[in-house]
Amino acid sequence: MNQMIGLNFLSKKRSAISMAFALFCLLIPFGAYAQTNPTILLMGDSLSAEYGLARGTGWVRLLEDQLRKEASSWRVLNASISGETSSGGLTRLPKLFEQKRPGIVLLELGENDALRGLSIQETEKI
């Protein structure tokens, strides 16, 4: 039973990541016109911090490689921390936003909230 719950959770997480990435790809052209600082600030958990992966093989590197291939002026600042929670990200976000002044902010958080037993409603309140 626990294995089924874990597989269902991973399936939903992968779907959410895919949807977020697709949305991001749609927003790049819009942001490029309205942007003076072509920096993408990424705040995430272990999925974005490449936990358990060989360095430079995660999805963030794939994004950077694609932007480079397209000769995009956008650069990615990966401020992800393995184990990060939504509240931890919210605490760090204002300072990073002020220091880096990103044109786009991508948040990939919530997995660790769920692993700690926080309900979706509790996470949304953060």
Side-chain angles (χ1 to χ4, degrees):
M1 182 67 171
N2 285 339
Q3 188 175 14
M4 290 295 290
I5 293 170
L7 290 175
N8 189 25
F9 175 76
L10 287 176
S11 177
K12 287 180 182 179
K13 183 69 174 177
R14 286 184 187 141
S15 295
I17 291 170
S18 296
M19 288 173 49
F21 187 72
L23 177 61
F24 170 72
C25 290
L26 292 172
L27 291 177
I28 286 178
F30 172 78
Y33 293 109
Q35 175 53 37
T36 58
N37 180 14
T39 299
I40 301 166
L41 172 62
L42 172 62
M43 294 189 66
D45 52 31
S46 57
L47 294 173
S48 298
E50 297 180 324
Y51 180 77
L53 299 175
R55 197 75 179 138
T57 61
W59 76 269
V60 177
R61 177 56 62 98
L62 296 174
L63 172 61
E64 291 171 327
D65 291 347
Q66 186 63 37
L67 290 170
R68 195 172 10 265
K69 188 185 332 181
E70 294 177 7
S72 173
S73 62
W74 288 93
R75 68 181 185 88
V76 179
L77 173 63
N78 190 353
S80 299
I81 298 175
S82 184
E84 183 72 282
T85 61
S86 295
S87 62
L90 183 61
T91 300
R92 292 187 314 119
L93 184 60
K95 187 174 183 178
L96 283 167
F97 195 78
E98 181 182 322
Q99 289 175 342
K100 305 302 179 183
R101 303 241 181 243
I104 296 175
V105 177
L106 288 178
L107 297 175
E108 181 272 311
L109 295 168
E111 175 182 9
N112 292 305
D113 299 329
L115 290 173
R116 292 179 178 159
L118 233 57
S119 70
I120 292 173
Q121 292 78 15
E122 289 172 309
T123 300
E124 287 176 345
K125 288 178 186 176
I126 295 172

